[in-house]
Amino acid sequence: MADFGGDLDTFRAEAREWIEANFPASLKGRPNPMMREERSKPSEDQEAWRKAMGSKGWGVPTWPAAYGGGGLSPAEGRVIQQELGRAGAYNPIGGMGVMMFGPTLLEYGTEDQKKEHIPPIVRGDLQWCQGFSEPGAGSDLASLQCKAEDKGDHFVINGQKIWTSGAQFADWCFCLVRTDTSKKHEGISFVLFTMHQPGVEVRPIPLIAGNSPFCETFFTDATADKKNLVGPLNGGWTIAKRLLQHERSGLSGAGGSGGFGMAAKPLPKLAKDYVGTDEKGRISDSDLRTRII
Ligand SMILES: Cc1cc2nc3c(=O)[nH]c(=O)nc-3n(C[C@H](O)[C@H](O)[C@H](O)COP(=O)(O)OP(=O)(O)OC[C@H]3O[C@@H](n4cnc5c(N)ncnc54)[C@H](O)[C@@H]3O)c2cc1C
């Protein structure tokens, strides 16, 4: 459906008023804490802002209201983003649940799966990580070997993932597992499981800059309930490809939800505000450049 915007003045006024009433002044112009790799306990104001946006559904403005989303049009969603930017506010609802997993589950999940998993993402209560890449399965992702065995009402998962961004902070994992070794793409399933279980071990990978944006993640008899198989058994590759489309559009800024929950400012402006520029207008310090991305 075409989305030409229409008359949005009334909605803009409503959004402006709500943001003014709910966004804590102490957070104005402050960076989004979700963008930091080292997570400290959120302040009271940060929590209040997350809860306000989470219950309003405006962190994911275009997601269906039936699951807690804003239920707004893309044009109204853009107004929210613009008004957040105008107020110096960030979108506190983000991460991989928003950018990749939520939109995919809305398309491929059962009604029960959507009711269980979408609202906590909308509220920012739970964070997700992506268990796709393996040491022997990067560009050729479909050669993945992490195995899930059918144990009746659940799967038992054994194997290793790598480059799992934010796994050390994640509550849940959306994971590609091998459920049939006789086929390549048609032997992969898409499962969900909690990271808070004994069979999951996360080892952050230290980079030379001292930070650890991604991890090695090991599964030893980890379990996933059958109800958390998304799509058909051995039908995970189709779902994975769709999720990767959302990942690409989110990273390129084309997604409608604000991607990782970035502040509603263009990245160059954000970077200049953060670190300043040299006399030629460029961001001068390469170490700082690394840290702000
Ligand atoms: C910032 C960042 C965050 C990431 N976060 C996650 C995450 O959260 N979860 C996750 O699952 N993955 C994540 N990844 C992994 C990513 O999605 C890719 O799967 C991974 O980077 C590519 O695999 P690899 O590193 O094993 O490279 P390889 O596949 O080994 O490729 C290495 C090089 O070889 C080239 N190459 C590969 N095959 C061929 C070929 N047949 N012919 C010619 N050239 C070839 C590639 O183009 C590349 O230049 C992340 C990656 C980055 C950079």
Side-chain angles (χ1 to χ4, degrees):
M1 188 173 67
D3 169 35
F4 299 112
D7 178 11
L8 293 167
D9 290 350
T10 308
F11 179 71
R12 186 179 296 282
E14 184 197 320
R16 191 169 294 182
E17 193 181 329
W18 187 87
I19 291 168
E20 269 167 22
N22 287 279
F23 179 60
S26 67
L27 301 179
K28 187 176 165 122
R30 300 287 300 277
N32 189 344
M34 283 211 61
M35 300 299 288
R36 297 199 172 280
E37 280 163 17
E38 302 312 324
R39 307 268 165 96
S40 49
K41 194 171 177 298
S43 69
E44 267 181 40
D45 280 352
Q46 286 170 339
E47 270 298 270
W49 178 229
R50 178 181 69 82
K51 286 186 175 158
M53 280 286 277
S55 53
K56 190 79 173 164
W58 280 4
V60 281
T62 58
W63 289 16
Y67 309 109
L72 300 173
S73 69
E76 289 168 327
R78 282 194 293 278
V79 168
I80 304 267
Q81 225 174 351
Q82 289 159 0
E83 289 303 316
L84 288 174
R86 182 183 173 276
Y90 60 85
N91 182 353
I93 309 297
M96 291 188 179
V98 169
M99 189 169 85
M100 309 176 200
F101 173 61
T104 310
L105 195 72
L106 285 170
E107 200 171 328
Y108 287 99
T110 62
E111 191 56 24
D112 282 350
Q113 288 170 340
K114 289 188 243 186
K115 278 187 185 145
E116 179 178 351
H117 295 297
I118 298 293
I121 297 173
V122 172
R123 294 191 301 265
D125 286 344
L126 294 180
Q127 292 302 316
W128 286 78
C129 67
Q130 178 187 34
F132 278 24
S133 305
E134 296 179 9
S139 304
D140 184 15
L141 180 60
S143 58
L144 62 93
Q145 296 299 321
C146 180
K147 193 173 168 192
E149 277 179 88
D150 191 335
K151 296 285 182 184
D153 62 347
H154 66 282
F155 296 102
V156 170
I157 299 161
N158 282 285
Q160 186 196 339
K161 297 291 173 179
I162 196 164
W163 312 126
T164 336
S165 301
Q168 68 271 54
F169 310 116
D171 302 293
W172 277 75
C173 180
F174 51 90
C175 192
L176 292 182
V177 290
R178 182 148 300 286
T179 37
D180 184 341
T181 50
S182 69
K183 296 179 188 126
K184 191 171 179 179
H185 300 80
E186 296 83 11
I188 293 170
S189 298
F190 191 109
V191 294
L192 320 173
F193 51 85
T194 175
M195 295 289 280
H196 305 305
Q197 57 170 308
V200 175
E201 186 194 345
V202 176
R203 295 185 200 159
I205 301 171
L207 300 188
I208 201 164
N211 55 341
S212 295
F214 23 57
C215 306
E216 293 178 290
T217 308
F218 298 86
F219 305 126
T220 310
D221 291 339
T223 59
D225 280 352
K226 276 273 180 73
K227 66 173 184 167
N228 284 319
L229 169 70
V230 182
L233 188 71
N234 298 318
W237 186 246
T238 300
I239 300 169
K241 283 190 292 182
R242 184 71 178 118
L243 184 137
L244 290 169
Q245 285 178 332
H246 287 298
E247 178 172 6
R248 281 184 210 113
S249 62
L251 287 173
S252 69
S257 59
F260 273 103
M262 293 184 192
K265 283 183 189 176
L267 186 59
K269 165 100 179 80
L270 197 64
K272 283 178 187 168
D273 289 353
Y274 232 159
V275 299
T277 56
D278 65 11
E279 70 283 357
K280 291 182 180 155
R282 295 178 303 214
I283 298 162
S284 50
D285 184 321
S286 63
D287 176 49
L288 281 172
R289 278 204 304 273
T290 307
R291 281 196 265 151
I292 58 168
I293 296 299

